[in-house]
Amino acid sequence: MKKLLNAPSDIVVESLRGLGLAHPELRVDLNHRIVYRSDAPVPGKVALISGGGSGHEPLHGGFVGPGMLDAAVAGEVFTSPVPDQIVEATKNVDSGAGVVHIVKNYTGDVMNFEMAAEIAAAETGVEVVAVVTDDDVAVQDSLYTAGRRGVGVTVLAEKIAGAAADAGRDLNGVADIVRKVNENGRSMGVALTSCTVPAAGKPTFDLPGTDMEIGIGIHGEPGRRRVPLAPAKEIAEMLVEPILADLDFTGGDGVIAFVNGLGASPLLELYLMYGEVAAVLEKAGVRVARSLVGPYITSLDMAGCSLTLLKVDDELVRLWDAPVRTPGLRWGV
Amino acid sequence: MKKLLNAPSDIVVESLRGLGLAHPELRVDLNHRIVYRSDAPVPGKVALISGGGSGHEPLHGGFVGPGMLDAAVAGEVFTSPVPDQIVEATKNVDSGAGVVHIVKNYTGDVMNFEMAAEIAAAETGVEVVAVVTDDDVAVQDSLYTAGRRGVGVTVLAEKIAGAAADAGRDLNGVADIVRKVNENGRSMGVALTSCTVPAAGKPTFDLPGTDMEIGIGIHGEPGRRRVPLAPAKEIAEMLVEPILADLDFTGGDGVIAFVNGLGASPLLELYLMYGEVAAVLEKAGVRVARSLVGPYITSLDMAGCSLTLLKVDDELVRLWDAPVRTPGLRWGV
């Protein structure tokens, strides 16, 4: 294992420390491993929290700031945060308008966020609405998941719901937007190599020779099938087809097309993939309204990419375009 | 070799195609492999061009846009663009106020940009001033370089000079700003793995077992020494020390501290490294005024990072903070 770290057991807290030093506009509680907007709670605004296992950066800590999350709660690498952390964050961001939890669909996350919402409500009366994302069309159940896994749509939901909260929507209104994004978004990923969990020190799975894994999970969970490495053109088809088979993305106001890097695939390759995806979408009659290309929900040092399509209407495009100021996504301010 | 590509010979043009599709605010000339601001030439403004071999994305094509470059010229992977391409870009961005070429110090780039400036001047009378960046303290001469290599400072120079051009400075004024950034900036890199040039299909160099290469070049050129992989704390010292030994960064208005990912090292590790670098700088009495963390000048799929320090004054901080709108760097708009 060749990584930039000290002791593997310290990687999460040390990375959060660096994030806080590099971004003085954030407040990082290293004890609870929470990244806050430094002006949280924002008076009158519904607060947004997300979190989960580390190893997916910039998700979630890099998406804290005006126009996106009020706080992000970091678990150990690929491990859910514990309820105490989530309770602490929930209490600290609530302005009285309530808190939305955006939770990726992994058993540990769903359970711990649920427990935290109950504890926070019982202790301080804060109103919490949790929305679970489950956009990965690759497999129905998985290693850590009943139902579909939550992946790339989470990034888009955090951005869009953040804008909705900024625009003054109430608790149920913001939660509804997260649901709308999740219902209209689908994803599919491909791994060219395994990732290596620092504490394990060796690759999570074996992907020998020229094989690639179609439908990979962001923790290295098995996908649909293992096939020989194909040209990017064919990989684009293998990602787009199952997504279009799952939901009709034609017509209307088009889609946000999001080509995501899994950690070790550089932008040179990601933009090439975007070009191939765009060609497949055009042939399928899917109009691209907006795009996003880059490593936004990673899987440690895995090589590969994922594609997320989100069907949008005027409302979602307007919320997508609204100003955002976080380490990972920034425009308009 | 496991990469997202079709034929290795098409990777540059296909990646540029994707960049253009993902960013309709840019105009991409695939024939000449040039990325333009779509509103170039901007009346009355000094134009800024950079370019070089591909494989360092988002440098340079991802830094085209308001507040940064007017055009970027892409060579093949790790190969200088040819004079014809540079001439074409130079003519097309000149509004009459002249063009600054920002050129990383590699023999082919320096020669081809020089030749292009002469041809463009002879053919259309455009005034060109070229400034060469050579900030890498690792080695004096190198595989493709007489003198020091141009690396991370190029990113900062493109941003800061772009703001100076936007602010209405004249040709020599903008060129002077690039020189000032180069003179006050120093860099040092470390590779944990080699990169793989697509056309070669195998790693450029051998970095066996747990070795790392201190002082690596962005094309895999040899550094200062090969040592066993060390904890991030020690790597931070190995990067900071030679930089501080080369220029006094204490006092004044502090530095921009830029921790750059070389392509395959994820943000989890880069922020951890930033934390370690910040600690070493604090101990050395160097004040951090601004920071930048992420993969901005990459070396294909190399794992590792580089550190660039830029000594700043009020003027440079103001220009750094000015609005910029490019695929790779964006704030204020």
Side-chain angles (χ1 to χ4, degrees), chain B residues 261-278:
Chain B
L262 289 176
S265 287
L267 272 179
L268 179 72
E269 297 174 42
L270 297 179
Y271 274 117
L272 187 151
M273 273 304 301
Y274 180 78
E276 298 301 342
V277 164

Side-chain angles (χ1 to χ4, degrees), chain A residues 2-6 15 17-18 22-23 192 207 209 211 231-233 268-269 271 276 291 330-333, chain B residues 2-6 15 17-18 22-23 57 192 207 209 211 231-233 268-269 271 276 291 330-333:
Chain A
K2 290 176 130 177
K3 290 181 190 282
L4 299 161
L5 49 70
N6 297 300
S15 185
R17 184 173 68 104
H23 299 283
L192 307 191
L207 200 47
D211 279 2
K233 264 183 219 312
L268 178 72
E269 296 174 43
Y271 274 116
E276 298 301 342
S291 67
R330 182 168 175 183
W331 54 72
V333 280
Chain B
K2 290 176 129 177
K3 290 181 191 281
L4 299 160
L5 49 70
N6 297 301
S15 185
R17 184 171 68 102
H23 299 282
E57 293 68 23
L192 307 191
L207 200 48
D211 279 2
K233 265 184 217 314
L268 179 72
E269 297 174 42
Y271 274 117
E276 298 301 342
S291 67
R330 182 168 174 183
W331 54 72
V333 279

Side-chain angles (χ1 to χ4, degrees), chain A residues 2 192-193 263-269 301-304, chain B residues 1-5 11 54-57 77-78 190-205 207 216-220 261-266 295 297-305:
Chain A
K2 290 176 130 177
L192 307 191
T193 69
S265 287
L267 272 179
L268 178 72
E269 296 174 43
D301 53 355
M302 187 184 281
Chain B
M1 175 178 66
K2 290 176 129 177
K3 290 181 191 281
L4 299 160
L5 49 70
I11 192 169
S54 294
H56 308 301
E57 293 68 23
V77 171
F78 292 178
V190 58
L192 307 191
T193 69
S194 173
C195 52
T196 296
V197 175
K202 58 182 178 45
T204 303
F205 60 98
L207 200 48
I216 191 73
I218 56 170
H219 311 93
L262 289 176
S265 287
I297 169 170
T298 58
S299 183
L300 293 167
D301 53 355
M302 186 184 282
C305 69

Side-chain angles (χ1 to χ4, degrees), chain A:
Chain A
M1 175 178 65
K2 290 176 130 177
K3 290 181 190 282
L4 299 161
L5 49 70
N6 297 300
S9 56
D10 297 333
I11 191 169
V12 172
V13 71
E14 290 182 349
S15 185
L16 288 174
R17 184 173 68 104
L19 179 73
L21 289 167
H23 299 283
E25 71 278 13
L26 302 175
R27 188 163 54 81
V28 179
D29 173 351
L30 288 181
N31 191 29
H32 290 94
R33 300 178 188 193
I34 302 169
V35 179
Y36 291 103
R37 283 178 62 154
S38 55
D39 59 350
V42 180
K45 191 182 83 70
V46 171
L48 267 173
I49 288 181
S50 192
S54 294
H56 307 301
E57 293 68 23
L59 188 85
H60 297 275
F63 296 142
V64 174
M68 217 160 163
L69 300 178
D70 293 82
V73 187
E76 286 303 313
V77 170
F78 292 179
T79 305
S80 172
V82 296
D84 272 6
Q85 296 174 268
I86 307 168
V87 169
E88 174 77 12
T90 302
K91 287 179 182 172
N92 285 330
V93 299
D94 182 37
S95 69
V99 180
V100 171
H101 285 177
I102 301 180
V103 185
K104 301 192 300 302
N105 190 33
Y106 299 98
T107 308
D109 292 286
V110 172
M111 197 176 66
N112 289 347
F113 270 90
E114 209 167 275
M115 206 178 299
E118 283 169 20
I119 296 170
E123 285 183 2
T124 65
V126 52
E127 267 193 286
V128 176
V129 180
V131 184
V132 173
T133 59
D134 58 353
D135 53 306
D136 190 342
V137 302
V139 292
Q140 182 51 32
D141 299 309
S142 189
L143 219 48
Y144 313 111
T145 318
R148 287 179 168 180
R149 302 175 296 222
V151 289
V153 103
T154 317
V155 176
L156 309 182
E158 292 177 4
K159 165 66 188 84
I160 288 170
D166 262 11
R169 299 214 193 171
D170 67 9
L171 184 60
N172 287 317
V174 175
D176 281 344
I177 282 287
V178 180
R179 284 185 203 105
K180 180 173 171 179
V181 171
N182 186 55
E183 281 161 16
N184 287 284
R186 298 291 188 277
S187 300
M188 182 84 179
V190 58
L192 307 191
T193 69
S194 174
C195 53
T196 296
V197 175
K202 58 182 177 46
T204 302
F205 59 98
D206 193 34
L207 200 47
T210 61
D211 279 2
M212 62 179 183
E213 175 102 15
I214 297 286
I216 191 75
I218 56 170
H219 311 95
E221 306 98 306
R224 286 191 177 187
R225 63 188 193 278
R226 195 163 286 192
V227 296
L229 184 61
K233 264 183 219 312
E234 291 172 29
I235 296 177
E237 283 167 6
M238 293 181 212
L239 297 181
V240 173
E241 268 173 18
I243 289 176
L244 297 190
D246 203 77
L247 188 69
D248 180 12
F249 282 90
T250 57
D253 296 313
V255 302
I256 297 177
F258 168 27
V259 169
N260 173 61
L262 289 176
S265 287
L267 272 179
L268 178 72
E269 296 174 43
L270 298 178
Y271 274 116
L272 187 151
M273 274 304 302
Y274 181 78
E276 298 301 342
V277 164
V280 178
L281 291 178
E282 192 178 5
K283 208 157 45 177
V286 177
R287 194 174 84 75
V288 176
R290 296 288 186 275
S291 67
L292 182 68
V293 180
Y296 292 103
I297 170 171
T298 58
S299 183
L300 293 168
D301 53 355
M302 187 184 281
C305 69
S306 63
L307 171 66
T308 298
L309 295 185
L310 171 63
K311 200 171 175 170
V312 290
D313 56 13
D314 271 3
E315 178 188 45
L316 292 186
V317 170
R318 206 171 50 245
L319 292 170
W320 176 255
D321 287 344
V324 59
R325 181 183 183 154
T326 72
L329 277 186
R330 182 168 175 183
W331 54 72
V333 280

